[in-house]
Amino acid sequence: MLSDTEYNFLRSHPKLRVAVPDRQSLYAKAGPQGDFNGALRQVLDNLAHSLFLECEYLPESDAKSALDAVQNGQADLAAECLYDQNVARTRHVRLTPPYYIMNFVMLERRDSTVALSPRVACLNEFYVDTVLTGIYSPEQLRRYDSYAECLKAVASGQADLTFVPSIEVSSLLEQEQIFNLHIRNAAAFNYPVSLAIPESANPLLMSALCKAVNHLDPQQISPLLLDAAQVQEPRRKFSLRGFIYRHPVELLLALLATVVIVALLILLYLRLRGRSQRLQRQLRKRLQKQQKHPNWILKSGRARLPDVSAAGGSLCASCLRLP
């Protein structure tokens, strides 16, 4: 793949300083110690391995800061740069062919209506200057520092819509516990991503990078991003609100089943209570009948006859006391 001249040049420069934006949560992320990780690092590691190079990653806040680091000589190349030759000429950098095409989707609130002049939440990135400014006026654009803040702005009503990379939508909505948004356009626009090196860099580095990028298999990059999304899946927070939004039919069926069970238990309780009350009424009537008809007790054979002699003796004694 490499010529002898390119190979010898790379052997004399075995280490590259790569400025990378760490804002993206899935494929570009700075660790707790400031070290760069994520699926994008795997892509760049594969690229460097094919060139027999070692990369030193310098996390930056966004793509513009990464290009600033290249222009200031703090980095040898920048990743995640929009493939736009106008931007490259303005920034005095040269771009490799795109190694990944980032798909953006449009999100809005579920209860919102189409506005004539919508407020758009977006990042202060190149895609805003190259794509969104051709559709929306500068007064409609609301700049934020991260995709999560853009989603929060739309969810809270500060903006009407936003654009987020499709690979990050599910993860961001889960992490931020936002459930009142939906995708309006699943293929709003594409963002071709490339590497940028300064114009003053050796042409041999540029030719070697172009060859390495052209040999990258795009089918190997998408699985890396999907694997990164699956790795982050267990970190999602559980919330009752999110569970309701994700399983509305199951919850409705469970609620109906609960109502039916409770209704059956109430009917069973009322039936048993009515039966108990009927038995108590029958018992009270029987006792009252016994009190009104004592001879009925005698006929039943369950009581003894009273002592007649004793009754007669007491009667005679009372007669003797008459005046």
Side-chain angles (χ1 to χ4, degrees):
M1 180 179 69
L2 298 176
S3 65
D4 294 339
T5 306
E6 293 170 343
Y7 178 78
N8 293 330
F9 171 78
L10 295 177
R11 294 291 292 178
S12 61
H13 301 80
K15 191 171 185 178
L16 289 178
R17 298 168 300 170
V18 184
V20 290
D22 64 350
R23 176 149 45 196
Q24 293 81 359
S25 60
L26 287 182
Y27 56 89
K29 188 69 176 177
Q33 305 298 330
D35 53 330
F36 180 70
N37 52 41
L40 178 58
R41 173 164 185 169
Q42 299 182 44
V43 175
L44 296 178
D45 283 344
N46 293 339
L47 184 66
H49 180 73
S50 64
L51 297 177
F52 309 100
L53 294 175
E54 179 184 355
C55 290
E56 177 186 356
Y57 297 106
L58 308 175
E60 299 290 342
S61 60
D62 51 36
K64 289 186 176 181
S65 299
L67 281 181
D68 290 338
V70 172
Q71 285 184 291
N72 299 332
Q74 301 173 356
D76 299 315
L77 62 92
E80 292 297 292
C81 295
L82 175 66
Y83 186 73
D84 189 319
Q85 296 298 337
N86 294 326
V87 175
R89 284 191 293 269
T90 304
R91 288 286 188 154
H92 304 288
V93 296
R94 287 182 292 174
L95 301 176
T96 65
Y99 62 89
Y100 175 64
I101 296 180
M102 189 187 308
N103 298 316
F104 277 76
V105 298
M106 178 192 297
L107 292 99
E108 64 180 5
R109 290 187 303 278
R110 297 179 185 274
D111 58 349
S112 64
T113 57
V114 179
L116 297 177
S117 181
R119 298 163 298 172
V120 182
C122 58
L123 299 185
N124 189 24
E125 289 282 7
F126 293 121
Y127 76 86
V128 174
D129 301 327
T130 58
V131 178
L132 298 185
T133 53
I135 306 175
Y136 306 101
S137 64
E139 293 76 15
Q140 294 177 256
L141 302 180
R142 306 288 189 272
R143 310 289 180 124
Y144 295 92
D145 293 332
S146 65
Y147 293 124
E149 293 183 6
C150 293
L151 293 174
K152 291 179 181 178
V154 177
S156 61
Q158 300 177 12
D160 299 314
L161 55 92
T162 188
F163 298 90
V164 177
S166 59
I167 194 66
E168 295 195 72
V169 171
S170 299
S171 174
L172 288 173
L173 292 178
E174 291 284 349
Q175 289 177 2
E176 303 299 329
Q177 297 294 291
I178 299 175
F179 305 103
N180 62 336
L181 301 183
H182 74 105
I183 297 176
R184 178 181 173 185
N185 189 348
F189 61 88
N190 295 328
Y191 185 148
V193 173
S194 61
L195 300 174
I197 65 173
E199 291 180 343
S200 58
N202 194 310
L204 293 175
L205 175 61
M206 183 65 181
S207 61
L209 288 174
C210 290
K211 289 182 179 180
V213 170
N214 289 330
H215 279 78
L216 283 177
D217 185 4
Q219 301 299 326
Q220 295 178 353
I221 298 179
S222 296
L224 292 176
L225 303 180
L226 295 176
D227 291 343
Q230 293 174 0
V231 168
Q232 205 165 10
E233 183 77 19
R235 302 178 184 176
R236 295 179 177 178
K237 302 176 182 178
F238 173 80
S239 69
L240 179 60
R241 183 182 177 188
F243 185 79
I244 292 174
Y245 271 94
R246 289 191 298 270
H247 307 283
V249 178
E250 293 84 348
L251 287 176
L252 181 61
L253 294 177
L255 181 61
L256 291 176
T258 303
V259 171
V260 171
I261 293 174
V262 171
L264 292 176
L265 291 176
I266 292 175
L267 290 176
L268 179 62
Y269 168 75
L270 293 176
R271 184 173 181 180
L272 294 176
R273 183 180 178 183
R275 182 179 179 183
S276 176
Q277 290 177 350
R278 286 195 301 270
L279 293 176
Q280 290 179 1
R281 285 195 298 268
Q282 292 176 1
L283 181 60
R284 283 197 298 268
K285 289 181 180 179
R286 187 173 182 181
L287 292 176
Q288 291 175 359
K289 188 175 181 180
Q290 291 176 359
Q291 293 176 358
K292 291 181 179 180
H293 305 281
N295 293 333
W296 181 83
I297 303 178
L298 298 178
K299 292 179 182 180
S300 65
R302 295 177 183 175
R304 295 182 179 179
L305 294 175
D307 191 352
V308 179
S309 60
S314 60
L315 180 61
C316 296
S318 60
C319 294
L320 293 176
R321 295 192 192 96
L322 292 175

